Amino acid sequence: MTSRAVEITPGAPLTVLSEDEQMFQQSVREFATEKIRPLVPEMDRTATMSKDLIASFFELGIMGIEVPEQFGGAGSTFFNAVVVVEELSHVDASCGVLVDVQNTLVNNAILRWGNEDQKSKYLAMLARDSVGAYALSEAGSGSDAFALATRARQQGDHWVLNGRKLWITNAAEAGVFIVFANANPDAGYKGITAFVIERDFPGFSVGKKEDKTGIRASSTCELVLEDCRVPAQNVLGEPGKGYKIAIETLNEGRIGIGAQMIGVARGALEHAITYTKERQQFGQRVAEFQGVKFQIAQAATDLEAARLMVYNAARLKDARKPFLREAAMAKLFSSQVCEQVTSLAVQLFGGNGYTREYPVEKFWRDSKVGQIYEGTSNMQLETISKTILTDRL
Ligand SMILES: Cc1cc2nc3c(=O)[nH]c(=O)nc-3n(C[C@H](O)[C@H](O)[C@H](O)COP(=O)(O)OP(=O)(O)OC[C@H]3O[C@@H](n4cnc5c(N)ncnc54)[C@H](O)[C@@H]3O)c2cc1C
């Protein structure tokens, strides 16, 4: 494994950041506020991600945060990926998820499971200029992901893949795809195999793009594999180990979605605070009514609790301590908090909150997906209850 374990400083407060972490946080916060914010309404309206922004993500070094420097990455930590996703999502959740999928799913899977050739080729591409996508879900297999119907069969020095993937984030922009297919259906989920596929491999194409409620600038597309020829050396890990790769990368990815959710909630709450401090009713500022300031105080408290859970899960991962339950809890709770806080923000804007002229309705729309992707809330509850009932509280 290339990623290093980061020492935990005993007694250190979770939200106190190291110099390196502060640097990432500050530079991304400034970038998001100055460069992303002005583009957000148009990207949302047209459901497109700015190509210039993607180029800037590579320039900033946030597309290969944990990728070792020898491959052109920042050689940094998972915690920093979480900090970056939170900061981006605080302004735009679509930018947040683009960078999140790149770092916590695609780069992580290759870092962890790739051989040296795959790492030097694909990690270098992903850190330099290629967006990555992660393709597990299909029309018939979402929560029951291992029931996937895409098939792979070996033919000499190639594999031939047939099937369709659905809901694939970053697919419109991606050059590199991690695709899961079953190479031995008789073995059930133990036939699932992960492949690294380049966009121009024969038989591979990106299909219909979804017209979504939220995170509209983030592309979500179908993938079509029609006798798609994949070189044998592009099996990630080994044949039959795909289920393990999927489970383990998604366990990590969930922390990133938690970070996206705390970013979205923070963005909405900040707007609500600014607005209620200006808006006057009954001869006083709306923020001064006890009924309102208590709601804001409660939202800020919930957000703080969610942030502590997300940061703790990320720090556990960096320290190579078990984090499965903590990651599931962090995603479950932060996505619930995000939906509540963004809804409150709309409420506190009154009628204005219900129009596209003001920013909060977008945060509300963007919040919902946190309870759906990378395992629905029920699937998180399933994981949490399993670990509690079979392990320890
Ligand atoms: C915007 C977006 C982006 C996405 N990006 C990606 C991506 O990049 N790559 C990828 O592979 N996938 C991606 N997905 C797919 C996503 O992971 C799935 O949508 C998700 O796992 C849920 O699957 P499903 O939609 O088939 O819902 P279903 O599994 O059909 O679930 C429907 C409902 O039933 C509930 N349910 C199902 N099984 C159980 C159970 N055993 N117990 C209790 N309740 C249950 C669920 O909680 C849910 O409420 C994305 C989805 C969206 C919406």
Side-chain angles (χ1 to χ4, degrees):
M1 231 169 91
T2 337
S3 65
R4 60 201 155 89
V6 178
E7 254 178 56
I8 299 179
T9 316
L14 275 177
T15 50
V16 172
L17 306 192
S18 70
E19 235 173 78
D20 180 51
E21 289 161 356
Q22 280 179 41
M23 205 184 71
F24 262 96
Q25 187 185 49
Q26 200 49 40
S27 60
V28 177
R29 186 172 292 182
E30 279 165 21
F31 175 81
T33 311
E34 289 164 21
K35 305 282 186 218
I36 301 179
R37 181 162 284 154
L39 306 180
V40 170
E42 181 67 4
M43 291 202 306
D44 180 56
R45 197 181 59 73
T46 58
T48 42
M49 176 62 64
S50 152
K51 286 197 174 66
D52 291 345
L53 275 188
I54 298 178
S56 309
F57 296 155
F58 285 105
E59 275 162 35
L60 270 176
I62 58 173
M63 293 296 264
I65 296 171
E66 285 181 275
V67 171
E69 288 171 21
Q70 69 187 107
F71 304 127
S76 189
T77 60
F78 185 79
F79 186 81
N80 268 331
V82 155
V83 166
V84 167
V85 173
E86 179 187 348
E87 288 308 321
L88 292 172
S89 305
H90 154 252
V91 170
D92 183 48
S94 294
C95 291
V97 75
L98 185 145
V99 171
D100 174 62
V101 167
Q102 179 91 3
N103 284 283
T104 72
L105 295 182
V106 180
N107 293 348
N108 248 338
I110 298 175
L111 259 174
R112 173 91 197 270
W113 299 91
N115 58 34
E116 284 315 305
D117 288 346
Q118 290 168 341
K119 283 186 196 167
S120 36
K121 179 170 183 187
Y122 291 111
L123 289 178
M125 282 169 69
L126 288 156
R128 189 180 59 237
D129 57 9
S130 291
V131 173
Y134 184 91
L136 177 64
S137 303
E138 299 179 2
S141 57
S143 300
D144 188 10
F146 294 162
L148 57 86
T150 299
R151 296 288 178 255
R153 98 191 116 76
Q154 194 157 19
Q155 226 175 47
D157 60 354
H158 278 79
W159 288 82
V160 179
L161 270 62
N162 279 288
R164 280 167 185 261
K165 295 287 170 184
L166 202 63
W167 305 115
I168 308 310
T169 301
N170 292 351
E173 299 84 13
V176 176
F177 297 76
I178 296 182
V179 175
F180 294 85
N182 200 320
N184 181 11
D186 291 343
Y189 69 89
K190 290 195 172 167
I192 296 174
T193 304
F195 298 87
V196 184
I197 293 187
E198 296 176 34
R199 195 180 186 95
D200 59 4
F201 278 5
F204 178 84
S205 58
V206 175
K208 178 180 160 266
K209 185 172 146 185
E210 302 297 334
D211 184 10
K212 305 192 300 299
T213 307
I215 56 163
R216 288 178 54 75
S218 159
S219 66
T220 312
C221 310
E222 188 184 25
L223 305 183
V224 183
L225 300 119
E226 280 174 338
D227 288 333
C228 172
R229 281 167 66 85
V230 182
Q233 65 264 27
N234 278 35
V235 169
L236 188 61
E238 350 168 344
K241 285 285 159 30
Y243 74 96
K244 207 167 156 46
I245 298 176
I247 290 175
E248 292 190 5
T249 42
L250 285 168
N251 287 343
E252 297 169 7
R254 252 159 229 151
I255 309 173
I257 300 304
Q260 183 197 29
M261 291 294 109
I262 57 176
V264 171
R266 173 157 66 95
L269 191 58
E270 281 177 5
H271 283 292
I273 291 169
T274 308
Y275 184 84
T276 53
K277 279 164 76 177
E278 281 168 10
R279 173 80 176 162
Q280 300 233 351
Q281 286 294 281
F282 299 97
Q284 70 178 62
R285 294 185 300 175
V286 166
E288 285 165 5
F289 292 111
Q290 191 181 68
V292 170
K293 69 183 176 193
F294 281 11
Q295 283 178 302
I296 291 174
Q298 184 65 55
T301 306
D302 294 343
L303 173 56
E304 180 69 1
R307 179 179 293 110
L308 289 171
M309 291 174 81
V310 171
Y311 283 13
N312 185 47
R315 293 216 189 271
L316 284 172
K317 175 181 156 21
D318 274 335
R320 297 208 195 151
K321 305 271 185 217
F323 62 87
L324 169 68
R325 184 198 310 175
E326 289 78 2
M329 286 177 165
K331 181 193 181 265
L332 173 76
F333 187 69
S334 59
S335 58
Q336 290 167 342
V337 165
C338 188
E339 190 183 27
Q340 288 157 16
V341 172
T342 55
S343 171
L344 174 69
V346 172
Q347 189 71 24
L348 294 178
F349 268 71
N352 285 336
Y354 207 56
T355 71
R356 297 209 166 182
E357 254 176 75
Y358 288 82
V360 281
E361 61 81 33
K362 176 179 176 294
F363 285 98
W364 187 36
R365 285 187 283 114
D366 288 349
S367 73
K368 187 62 202 176
V369 75
Q371 296 175 39
I372 298 173
Y373 56 16
E374 298 203 26
T376 63
S377 290
N378 274 357
M379 291 299 105
Q380 305 312 317
L381 289 167
E382 187 68 31
T383 301
I384 297 162
S385 55
K386 247 185 225 158
T387 68
I388 288 170
L389 298 176
T390 59
D391 187 4
R392 72 194 152 88
L393 191 58

